[in-house]
Amino acid sequence: MVYFRIAFGSIMLWETWRFVRNDWVGYFFSGKEFYFTYWPFDFLHPWPQEWMYVHLVLMGIFASFIILGFCYRISATAFFLMITYLFLLEQARYLNHLYLVCLLSFLMIFLPANRYFSLDVLLRPSIKSITVPAWSLWLLRFQIAVPMFFGGIAKLNSDWLHGEPLRAWLSVRTDFPLLGQFFANETVVWVMVYGSLLVDLLFIFYMLNRRTRVFGLIVVLAFHFMNARLFDIGIFPWFMIAATLVFFAPDWPVRVLKDVKLRHNYRLPALVLGLVVGFLVGGFLPERFDLVHALIGGLGVAVAAYHLDEPFLKSARAEETNGVSESPPRASWLNRMAKIGCRSIGAVGWASGFDTVEAPGNPRIGALDRRRA
């Protein structure tokens, strides 16, 4: 929940900056005599141009307060009202990702995302808690899954199932790095048509299953990276990459920090390699470099690389507790294969100069490692 609060606030701060940088206020919300407003919000009209910029500055301030967890309820409420106001001004500028932001901004008012690692906790220690009600996490996951699932529903029409308009879109994007030369191939078109349909429709199912989750994230990353290059759809691909990470076990940020601190023998090299690869892909795959693209790409790929062994673990419960079993279960052949692969990654990390430290109390290491420690 803390991770999502910081990620959401950061991306909203970036979106506010995009409004200013691209002068969307001057282009869309000033000097016009008529706006296609939403019923029953026809009474809403843009502020005078200079006040619209004040509006954006205040939005940025409240987004920053959400990141810091400062006056969280007030900040989340104010940000929801201000971003929804911009959304309701003009139907002709409808963006589904902006509608999603409005919905999530509303939910953020009620989510207890400021109970840990926030300025509110420093000011009021009595609200500090390392747990949140389960409904808050599942409500968040539900809202993130909705646009993916209904994206699949929307593709169940005659045009899409016959390859259009994706075939036409791909035919003019042959400049796509490496893959563009194949976009005129019918087999590639059909794979992408039905592949994207399945990515959307099955999203909730493969992200909720521990054994398919990391592979699903890899597919989602590829899906959103391609969308970011092929289509001009703003923050949506990057926002969804960051948001999809809430489907992993709630303690994954803590485990990542712990394994970084302990210089885990194969998870740390995997994390660093994923960070570098994601930074390069996220930064340079879109048509122009943006540091935010690179950082979110690095985050997504790093988390995927960190969890590569998750499908092969005997029990997810053991991963989410701090205790160590006295007699660890015998490894299945899948576990043994995973261990061999992870040892290989660890060898590469060792050769690269990583100093590894094993900890007797770390439940994520095997029995042999515990004896060595």
Side-chain angles (χ1 to χ4, degrees):
M1 193 66 67
V2 171
Y3 157 76
F4 186 79
R5 187 196 80 219
I6 295 172
F8 178 83
S10 300
I11 295 176
M12 293 306 100
L13 184 60
W14 175 46
E15 176 73 340
T16 303
W17 165 244
R18 292 175 72 242
F19 264 87
V20 176
R21 182 187 65 186
N22 297 320
D23 194 26
W24 288 337
V25 167
Y27 192 76
F28 295 113
F29 300 120
S30 64
K32 293 183 171 34
E33 296 181 2
F34 181 80
Y35 292 89
F36 292 93
T37 54
Y38 291 86
W39 183 89
F41 302 100
D42 307 277
F43 60 90
L44 291 177
H45 299 285
W47 306 107
Q49 186 170 351
E50 58 275 14
W51 286 103
M52 287 295 290
Y53 285 109
V54 173
H55 182 99
L56 292 176
V57 170
L58 291 175
M59 267 182 57
I61 291 173
F62 286 122
S64 301
F65 285 174
I66 291 174
I67 298 171
L68 299 173
F70 177 66
C71 297
Y72 172 74
R73 303 288 183 186
I74 297 173
S75 301
T77 302
F79 185 84
F80 161 70
L81 293 174
M82 299 182 84
I83 192 71
T84 305
Y85 165 79
L86 289 179
F87 174 79
L88 293 174
L89 286 179
E90 179 60 89
Q91 286 195 61
R93 287 204 70 244
Y94 173 82
L95 291 172
N96 53 6
H97 75 253
L98 191 55
Y99 179 52
L100 175 63
V101 165
C102 294
L103 295 176
L104 282 169
S105 300
F106 179 70
L107 294 184
M108 290 292 286
I109 299 172
F110 307 99
L111 298 181
N114 65 326
R115 293 187 182 179
Y116 192 75
F117 200 67
S118 69
L119 292 181
D120 283 351
V121 167
L122 290 178
L123 297 173
R124 290 183 297 155
S126 60
I127 70 170
K128 182 177 181 179
S129 174
I130 60 171
T131 62
V132 294
W135 64 262
S136 59
L137 179 59
W138 284 104
L139 181 61
L140 189 59
R141 288 172 171 171
F142 169 79
Q143 185 59 77
I144 292 166
V146 165
M148 295 294 289
F149 182 75
F150 278 90
I153 295 294
K155 291 181 175 68
L156 294 176
N157 62 72
S158 178
D159 284 344
W160 190 270
L161 297 178
H162 284 86
E164 294 295 348
L166 187 59
R167 181 182 290 107
W169 293 340
L170 293 176
S171 66
V172 296
R173 298 311 304 264
T174 54
D175 60 335
F176 192 96
L178 299 178
L179 301 179
Q181 57 186 317
F182 304 108
F183 283 174
N185 185 295
E186 276 296 298
T187 301
V188 173
V189 171
W190 287 114
V191 168
M192 294 183 68
V193 164
Y194 284 92
S196 60
L197 173 64
L198 294 176
V199 167
D200 283 339
L201 279 179
L202 301 180
F203 173 85
I204 190 65
F205 303 104
Y206 57 70
M207 289 307 301
L208 287 180
N209 188 311
R210 179 176 62 87
R211 297 193 180 278
T212 59
R213 187 181 297 138
V214 67
F215 303 117
L217 177 60
I218 293 171
V219 171
V220 166
L221 288 170
F223 179 74
H224 289 307
F225 282 147
M226 292 192 69
N227 283 345
R229 175 60 187 257
L230 291 173
F231 312 113
D232 184 16
I233 49 178
I235 67 170
F236 183 73
W238 312 104
F239 181 82
M240 290 303 292
I241 287 174
T244 299
L245 303 186
V246 302
F247 285 89
F248 285 90
D251 65 338
W252 72 259
V254 177
R255 287 189 282 111
V256 167
L257 293 175
K258 183 185 296 184
D259 285 339
V260 169
K261 181 179 179 180
L262 295 174
R263 300 183 182 179
H264 196 280
N265 61 343
Y266 60 80
R267 290 194 182 89
L268 180 58
L271 192 69
V272 173
L273 181 61
L275 184 63
V276 172
V277 171
F279 187 92
L280 294 175
V281 174
F284 295 101
L285 184 61
E287 293 186 349
R288 68 172 181 267
F289 177 84
D290 191 306
L291 181 59
V292 178
H293 297 168
L295 292 175
I296 294 176
L299 173 67
V301 179
V303 172
Y306 178 84
H307 286 91
L308 278 176
D309 65 338
E310 187 179 64
F312 309 108
L313 296 171
K314 183 94 174 182
S315 170
R317 189 67 179 170
E319 288 297 302
E320 298 171 11
T321 60
N322 293 323
V324 178
S325 173
E326 292 295 330
S327 55
R330 293 181 62 186
S332 67
W333 67 274
L334 284 175
N335 283 1
R336 290 194 292 270
M337 289 178 60
K339 191 173 293 186
I340 291 171
C342 291
R343 295 291 183 193
S344 301
I345 296 175
V348 173
W350 176 83
S352 302
F354 285 98
D355 182 22
T356 61
V357 176
E358 300 290 359
N362 189 345
R364 297 177 66 84
I365 60 179
L368 179 60
D369 291 328
R370 284 196 293 274
R371 288 197 294 272
R372 287 175 179 170

